[in-house]
Amino acid sequence: MLAAMPPTPHTTPAPGEARIRDRGDACPGALRLHPAEDGRLARLRLPAGRLTPRQVEALATAAETLGDGRISITSRGNAELRGLADDCGASLAALLDEADLLPSPTHERVRNIVASPASGLDGLGHADVQLWARDLDAALCAEPRAAALSGRFLFVLDDGRGDVAGLGGDVKLIADADGTAVLWPGGRQVFRLAAADAVRAALAAALAFLDAADAAGTGAWRPRELPVTHVPDWAGALAAAGTAAEALPVPPTPFSAPPGPGALGDGHLYVLAPLGRLTAAQLRALLPADEVRFTPWRGAVVVGAGPGAAAGRLGGLAAHGLITRPDAPLAGVTACTGRPGCAKSLADVRADALVALPGPLPVHFSGCERRCGHPHGAWVDVLATGTENDSADSYSVDDVPTPRTSLSEAVAAARGPATPTR
């Protein structure tokens, strides 16, 4: 059990050179806690964002009894607990293990799997990739070598609708209409294979990356960090795994906008967490449900909310402060931790984000130039730009200097016209 992690320096590469990672990946996990201004931070990997009702209760209990009472949803649909005490590691691990949230202590940081959150629920998509996610998680945990993947290596499983395909995966699978899947390993080569081989192919691609990274000796965490002289033998790895695959020209990445909050399919709901963070009470309010799926857009799909119960359930969730309508002011608004929880932040961005007005583009408030947790694709960049001694009134909105007193108007103009009320 690690109580703290040292910073992870790296050598900045010159243009055209591969990055050299001087130290191992120190990405936080459930067993490796990160020191922050507001206490320790734990990051729980939730493949495909999935939580059973028992796990929902365990996560809420962990936040209440060990942390600050809140659960942050990350841009990969994982969960973060903050405000943890220095000596809580054993208690946290025991609580998570009891709820089956730690199926493999050696692999807990590499279970980074994003999957189309509404897959199997709304009649869209070509395959239920939520099932792929469960099989891939089991395969990862069963492969000892996979434990060497970095905590940043990401698997993306898109059911063909294009909602998560653009989220920057290192190994990406996209379901097709003819019972096949398209594998994008590393983003530069593409292969078509049988959907039944999708999980096996994804694991083979990840192991091929590890082989190339070992040979390169640069400490690469992700395929894009490999030198051009050490491109993984993707085709050879697939053949060795017994997977028949056809190389394809690289097509455009499919894209569709994420779902808006509201009813989803027959008897399911989708809500957003205000600024990406839930209280323990808000998390429990998602129950009863068959399961809950956190999404990369800081929301939660409530699976099995009950046929015909959408209006009543949405009203109750709105009363708990959750975002249930696409025209709500904070729909699509996210923020990093900001002050006082992060020492690097120049402003209390979470407080300042409350001035945001509705609009179609997502907007992210960042306390420093790292822009932690920002969305993918097009988004409005609101950045605190002052100094440690003079930051309260200094921001930029899409690189335009903006005083704090004008944030609401500037963000509204950058986001575009408000979404019409349904």
Side-chain angles (χ1 to χ4, degrees), residues 58-392:
L59 192 54
T61 298
E64 283 179 329
T65 61
L66 301 175
D68 64 3
R70 295 176 174 82
I71 303 94
S72 296
I73 304 176
T74 76
S75 60
R76 294 181 169 190
N78 291 321
E80 284 186 353
L81 300 175
R82 301 187 67 96
L84 299 167
D86 291 351
D87 60 353
C88 80
S91 297
L92 176 62
L95 195 158
L96 298 178
D97 185 53
E98 174 65 23
D100 295 325
L101 286 167
L102 286 178
S104 172
T106 56
H107 291 64
E108 63 97 4
R109 293 190 309 129
V110 307
R111 302 167 66 226
N112 290 301
I113 304 172
V114 168
S116 298
S119 195
L121 301 179
D122 59 2
L124 302 178
H126 303 309
D128 187 349
V129 295
Q130 290 283 323
L131 301 179
W132 291 5
R134 297 176 199 181
D135 290 344
L136 178 56
D137 182 36
L140 276 173
C141 292
E143 170 54 59
R145 181 146 168 71
L149 292 169
S150 84
R152 292 163 173 79
F153 193 96
L154 177 63
F155 296 88
V156 168
L157 314 181
D158 192 298
D159 67 5
R161 72 184 70 201
D163 59 342
V164 298
L167 298 185
D170 300 295
V171 171
K172 184 162 49 182
L173 284 168
I174 301 177
D176 214 337
D178 56 357
T180 64
V182 178
L183 173 73
W184 301 49
R188 296 185 184 134
Q189 296 183 46
V190 177
F191 301 88
R192 183 181 298 282
L193 43 90
D197 293 332
V199 169
R200 179 169 48 181
L203 180 59
L207 299 180
F209 159 73
L210 287 177
D211 290 341
D214 285 349
T218 58
W221 294 343
R222 310 183 74 174
R224 64 172 180 256
E225 296 178 358
L226 290 169
V228 294
T229 54
H230 289 79
V231 176
D233 180 10
W234 306 117
L238 293 174
T243 299
E246 173 193 4
L248 301 175
V250 178
T253 301
F255 171 79
S256 67
L264 181 67
D266 183 19
H268 316 292
L269 305 174
Y270 182 50
V271 297
L272 295 172
L275 301 182
R277 190 174 290 181
L278 298 169
T279 65
Q282 287 172 329
L283 179 58
R284 288 193 177 99
L286 301 177
L287 299 177
D290 295 337
E291 66 182 43
V292 170
R293 301 174 184 174
F294 285 173
T295 77
W297 313 289
R298 270 76 170 210
V301 173
V302 181
V303 180
R313 284 295 304 272
L314 286 171
L317 294 174
H320 277 86
L322 294 163
I323 298 169
T324 61
R325 298 179 61 90
D327 59 346
L330 289 181
V333 180
T334 54
C336 70
T337 297
R339 286 185 171 176
C342 178
K344 294 183 181 294
S345 181
L346 299 174
D348 184 354
V349 291
R350 299 186 70 82
D352 291 340
L354 297 175
V355 306
L357 297 174
L361 273 179
V363 55
H364 186 70
F365 285 70
S366 303
C368 75
E369 292 189 355
R370 296 184 303 167
R371 294 175 171 86
C372 293
H374 70 76
H376 288 266
W379 53 283
V380 177
D381 179 26
V382 183
L383 176 67
T385 57
T387 66
E388 291 185 3
N389 296 323
D390 181 22
S391 62

Side-chain angles (χ1 to χ4, degrees), residues 386-398:
T387 66
E388 291 185 3
N389 296 323
D390 181 22
S391 62
D393 294 321
S394 182
Y395 274 89
S396 74
V397 177
D398 286 345

